[in-house]
Amino acid sequence: MVWLNIILGLVLLAAFLYWLLVTTEGVFLGRRIVVWLYDITAHKYDEIKGFDDAAERFFVVRPLRHHLRRIPNPLILDVATGTGRLPHYLFDEAQFNGRIIGLDPARKMLNLAVPKLVPYRNRALLVQQTAVPLPFPTDTFDAITCLEALEFLPSAEAALCEMVRVLKPGGILMVTRRRGREAKAFLNRYRSVEQFETFLTHLGLIEVNTQPWQLNYDQVFGKKPEWRMT
Ligand SMILES: C[S@@+](CC[C@H](N)C(=O)[O-])C[C@H]1O[C@@H](n2cnc3c(N)ncnc32)[C@H](O)[C@@H]1O
């Protein structure tokens, strides 16, 4: 009986640690742990994600280019850029003539982005920095993106406020909302589609809409109005 209790205790402990460190990637332990976990696993990140070129072009590049079609040289900020997924695929698009700043606090993730962006070094900049506060003036970027990251930030709401602040009037926000079975493992950090969209609307965004993307993520779009009532 004692052995059974010990085994049960160990199984529960293992399940708890798995939830704490793997499922929710350390977010309940604080920012430093999240960033440290990304740093120590950075070398495996691209392999684990196994990005599909055609899917990235269709679901990530195409909607962004559509929203930016009238801006010849857009300036884009990719918050939590990681290993440079978004800049890599966007620069790969021959018709894209914009500039991209990729921001992430995990140095080893950024190190893996560097070689991907070397051919575009005049139009790419990587910044080692957290999402809050963003080190840019208000109304700066034509588009802000943040893929597969909001749920790992200390406060998704504070990060979204900052993103909207630095977005230009008329600019587009493209972020992701965690969905599916694992999303609810984030407990009080989970946001339904309605809660997420309502929050973006309260931040002043218009044309807020959610598109199903992957098994675990929706894409959420919003636009900063051209003119604001003061
Ligand atoms: C799942 S990865 C997503 C990376 C990239 N956007 C992509 O789609 O491949 C999450 C990223 O969030 C970054 N991150 C963690 N905490 C952060 C914070 N406080 N501010 C900004 N980025 C953070 C991590 O370093 C990691 O690169």
Side-chain angles (χ1 to χ4, degrees):
M1 194 65 186
V2 175
W3 281 109
L4 202 62
N5 283 338
I6 291 174
I7 290 168
L8 188 64
L10 287 175
V11 169
L12 287 175
L13 180 65
F16 176 66
L17 289 176
Y18 188 86
W19 168 77
L20 198 60
L21 298 174
V22 180
T23 310
T24 57
E25 300 189 11
V27 73
F28 291 98
L29 296 172
R31 173 178 59 82
R32 283 172 205 277
I33 298 292
V34 174
V35 175
W36 175 71
L37 286 173
Y38 271 101
D39 265 333
I40 61 169
T41 54
H43 60 288
K44 293 195 202 143
Y45 183 81
D46 285 355
E47 193 187 319
I48 292 170
K49 299 299 280 187
F51 296 123
D52 176 76
D53 293 356
E56 293 302 305
R57 280 190 210 108
F58 190 81
F59 289 106
V60 178
V61 173
R62 186 187 53 96
L64 205 49
R65 293 218 46 234
H66 171 75
H67 286 291
L68 295 169
R69 63 193 178 283
R70 294 198 184 89
I71 306 171
N73 307 107
L75 177 61
I76 298 171
L77 173 66
D78 185 35
V79 176
T81 197
T83 59
R85 169 201 200 161
L86 183 128
H88 166 71
Y89 282 104
L90 208 45
F91 280 130
D92 202 38
E93 191 78 8
Q95 296 91 354
F96 177 73
N97 292 314
R99 292 163 294 150
I100 307 176
I101 298 180
L103 174 145
D104 201 289
R107 189 174 51 82
K108 291 191 178 159
M109 293 289 277
L110 290 178
N111 284 348
L112 292 167
V114 172
K116 297 179 192 173
L117 304 184
V118 164
Y120 318 101
R121 62 166 75 80
N122 297 336
R123 297 191 286 139
L125 179 69
L126 292 169
V127 179
Q128 188 184 0
Q129 161 81 40
T130 53
V132 179
L134 288 172
F136 307 106
T138 300
D139 299 346
T140 299
F141 295 93
D142 297 295
I144 311 239
T145 55
C146 181
L147 302 182
E148 302 189 23
L150 279 174
E151 68 274 30
F152 304 121
L153 309 187
S155 164
E157 283 76 11
L160 286 166
C161 278
E162 273 296 86
M163 292 181 213
V164 172
R165 178 183 69 77
V166 301
L167 191 59
K168 270 185 194 165
I172 187 83
L173 179 81
M174 178 171 105
V175 298
T176 54
R177 184 193 76 90
R178 190 75 180 239
R179 70 195 280 246
R181 206 161 46 91
E182 280 189 357
K184 298 215 170 128
F186 286 79
L187 308 179
N188 60 333
R189 304 173 58 83
Y190 171 77
R191 301 283 175 271
S192 66
V193 171
E194 193 186 4
Q195 287 170 326
F196 201 100
E197 290 189 350
T198 301
F199 185 74
L200 291 184
T201 305
H202 282 159
L203 287 182
L205 296 188
I206 55 171
E207 299 172 24
V208 172
N209 72 92
T210 302
Q211 309 287 333
W213 182 28
Q214 309 169 358
L215 203 59
N216 290 331
Y217 286 99
D218 285 332
Q219 283 179 321
V220 188
F221 297 87
K223 184 177 168 184
K224 190 163 173 177
E226 298 278 358
W227 304 107
R228 277 173 292 171
M229 304 280 281
T230 50

